Amino acid sequence: MSVREVVQIGDPVLREASRELQPDEIGSPETQGLIDDLIDTRRATHGAGIAANQVGEAVRVAIVEVEEGNPRYPYKPPVPLTVMINPVLEPLGDETVEINEGCLSVPDLRGSLERHLAVRVRYLDRGGVEHEEVRRGLTAGTFQHEVDHLNGTLFVDRADPRTFATWEQFDRHQREQFVRRATRLVDEVGS
Ligand code: ZN
């Protein structure tokens, strides 16, 4: 288990569609070691999640985990560790919501984009067991962000470029308004 270097925007691996894992690959030491590394790397960097291609491995594995009071995204509701293999997302309804995001692979930039308000997510866990759950609001946004990575898509592709801000400028000019809106969203739709 180790903290891996996070690949930065411009590296072609972030633009590849990652490949699905075969069932017999899930239990392999390579896959299990990769999952452990993703968990360690997420915890060391305080992202809300991380995808395998962000550590240079183009396979469809991603994790989401948000601890209470996450320093990058303190307004996000906690999400227990969720290890997803071959995740598939399905939007529930047409409703979207504007979310401000950042990314471990896009240093010092945030931007606002539309995400589906609710999604159904299906995936295999690290034991190969199938899961299906519904995620809403900011948490739905996090799941969409991570699955986007597996398709070679970054939040900057979907964001309105006029909303781009460094983290310092976000704090100065956008945070208060966004956190107020985000808190209301979490109250209304949950996670
Ligand atoms: Zn990201």
Side-chain angles (χ1 to χ4, degrees):
M1 300 210 300
S2 52
V3 175
R4 305 262 291 258
E5 191 180 331
V6 177
V7 168
Q8 302 291 286
I9 185 171
D11 189 311
V13 74
L14 292 174
R15 293 313 197 169
E16 275 178 45
S18 295
R19 74 169 179 88
E20 281 198 0
L21 284 187
Q22 298 304 310
D24 64 348
E25 290 179 286
I26 293 173
S28 72
E30 290 76 20
T31 301
Q32 294 295 318
L34 169 63
I35 291 167
D36 288 336
D37 288 356
L38 287 171
I39 293 168
D40 287 351
T41 306
R42 204 288 314 161
R43 288 179 179 167
T45 53
H46 301 294
I50 192 167
N53 59 345
Q54 290 185 275
V55 299
E57 312 250 6
V59 292
R60 301 186 83 81
V61 177
I63 69 167
V64 171
E65 183 182 36
V66 181
E67 65 274 47
E68 185 84 49
N70 174 293
R72 275 167 70 88
Y73 308 106
Y75 49 81
K76 285 198 187 205
V79 182
L81 174 63
T82 305
V83 176
M84 299 185 286
I85 296 167
N86 302 339
V88 176
L89 283 187
E90 177 198 336
L92 292 178
D94 297 330
E95 214 175 331
T96 63
V97 59
E98 188 184 312
I99 296 179
N100 185 281
E101 297 187 1
C103 178
L104 295 172
S105 294
V106 183
D108 202 18
L109 194 71
R110 297 187 59 134
S112 293
L113 58 151
E114 294 288 327
R115 292 290 191 191
H116 298 292
L117 180 67
V119 292
R120 175 175 288 121
V121 54
R122 294 189 180 86
Y123 59 90
L124 302 175
D125 67 20
R126 66 185 302 171
V129 177
E130 266 184 56
H131 292 257
E132 178 179 322
E133 43 201 61
V134 172
R135 295 298 190 170
R136 299 176 199 281
L138 295 183
T139 304
T142 302
F143 276 74
Q144 289 167 77
H145 179 115
E146 298 312 328
V147 173
D148 267 358
H149 272 301
L150 303 181
N151 296 323
T153 298
L154 298 171
F155 84 90
V156 293
D157 306 347
R158 299 189 186 277
D160 174 356
R162 292 182 56 88
T163 65
F164 285 151
T166 63
W167 282 64
E168 186 190 340
Q169 295 299 326
F170 172 79
D171 282 350
R172 198 174 295 175
H173 302 291
Q174 301 178 19
R175 172 180 287 278
E176 199 183 321
Q177 195 189 18
F178 175 65
V179 169
R180 212 178 313 129
R181 206 157 49 74
T183 305
R184 209 161 49 223
L185 178 67
V186 172
D187 288 346
E188 280 170 15
V189 304
S191 58

